[in-house]
Amino acid sequence: MAKKQETKKEVEVPVVETPVVETAKPKTRERLKPSNEWEIKDRVYYLSSNKTPISKSIKSANIYWFDEELGYERELKYCENQRTTFVDEMKGDQRLSHIIFRNGYLNVPKEKTVLQKLLSKYHPMNGIVYYEWKPEAVANNEVQNLELEIEALNAAQSMDIDMAEAIMRVEIGSKVAEMSSKELKRDLLLFAKGNPELFLELVNDENVVLRNFGIKATEMGLLKLSQDQRTFSWGSNDRKLMNVPFDEHPYSALAAWFKTDEGMEIYSNIEKRLN
């Protein structure tokens, strides 16, 4: 008999995969930038009185600053051996230092950041006894003033004679009636250059022409203002036209009255007589 050949069965061994555990990489912390970053630079402080005494001291201790984030006042002190000006943050001995202005100013180098922050941000006398010199702010103000002056001069250059007379009457009063057109133009340009802010304010005042109109009518006798400056009336028959409200300039009140229905009729009547 033939022997049966036994077939060997291969036993499959299951392969167990070991999971690879990845170790988490440490996250790199990003450096946070402060919202109000302090600029490292030399700073100069001047006394507000514009005087230059040989020496002037201000308090360097027993001063307080209200911290809005914490909700209470914090004591301030200037100590050269400390890295902060807040007493509650100081460590170790506190060697008090003096703050002295000499010849009207105090130059603080960039290395003394603690003193700079005390003077620029926290000291209660900042803006009262002394101020920080900021050339950028000064230059910005000068540019604004120059632009305002140019705007005023351009407006004066293109202004008609009636408007020019109305504005100069506010500045020099009744003398404007005796001036020639050239003199009026010259003084108008000088006024615009010397006080551009007031000049432009008058240019944009819609009542300035009406006030001038009322003054001219009064000077020519068409209108009459009572001695107590409370009543306007016709110059020819003393018929009362309007009462000036209490605590109001008479010609400002007259200018506002010219805009009413009754006042517009009187304005037209006067305008015909002036022309």
Side-chain angles (χ1 to χ4, degrees), residues 248-262:
E248 190 171 342
H249 192 278
Y251 289 105
S252 297
L254 181 63
W257 183 73
F258 279 143
K259 296 179 181 181
T260 64
D261 293 339
E262 183 182 3

Side-chain angles (χ1 to χ4, degrees), residues 145-159:
N145 291 337
L146 288 172
E147 290 176 345
L148 196 67
E149 184 179 323
I150 293 171
E151 183 182 355
L153 287 171
N154 287 335
Q157 184 66 30
S158 59
M159 187 173 293

Side-chain angles (χ1 to χ4, degrees), residues 50-165:
N50 292 326
K51 296 181 179 179
T52 57
I54 296 177
S55 65
K56 167 71 175 178
S57 299
I58 63 173
K59 294 177 67 174
S60 59
N62 297 321
I63 50 181
Y64 296 86
W65 176 76
F66 181 74
D67 193 325
E68 294 184 356
E69 294 183 0
L70 298 179
Y72 58 84
E73 282 188 326
R74 303 177 68 184
E75 185 179 359
L76 304 171
K77 185 186 295 185
Y78 175 51
C79 302
E80 288 188 344
N81 67 320
Q82 296 289 337
R83 296 184 178 182
T84 178
T85 188
F86 293 106
V87 174
D88 55 16
E89 295 179 353
M90 291 182 178
K91 299 178 181 180
D93 296 334
Q94 300 173 8
R95 294 198 292 272
L96 185 65
S97 302
H98 297 288
I99 304 175
I100 303 175
F101 288 74
R102 300 192 184 279
N103 297 320
Y105 73 95
L106 172 61
N107 187 14
V108 183
K110 61 184 179 181
E111 292 80 12
K112 295 190 176 183
T113 306
V114 174
L115 178 57
Q116 286 187 356
K117 288 185 177 181
L118 174 61
L119 292 173
S120 297
K121 300 177 67 175
Y122 307 123
H123 205 289
M125 292 297 102
N126 185 14
I128 301 174
V129 174
Y130 70 92
Y131 64 93
E132 180 183 351
W133 172 253
K134 298 181 179 179
E136 300 87 357
V138 173
N140 185 43
N141 290 336
E142 289 178 349
V143 169
Q144 291 181 353
N145 291 337
L146 288 172
E147 290 176 345
L148 196 67
E149 184 179 323
I150 293 171
E151 183 182 355
L153 287 171
N154 287 335
Q157 184 66 30
S158 59
M159 187 173 293
D160 60 70
I161 193 68
D162 292 333
M163 187 65 176
E165 180 183 332

Side-chain angles (χ1 to χ4, degrees), residues 187-199:
D187 286 7
L188 183 73
L189 290 169
L190 290 175
F191 178 34
K193 180 179 177 62
N195 197 341
E197 187 173 358
L198 176 59
F199 180 84

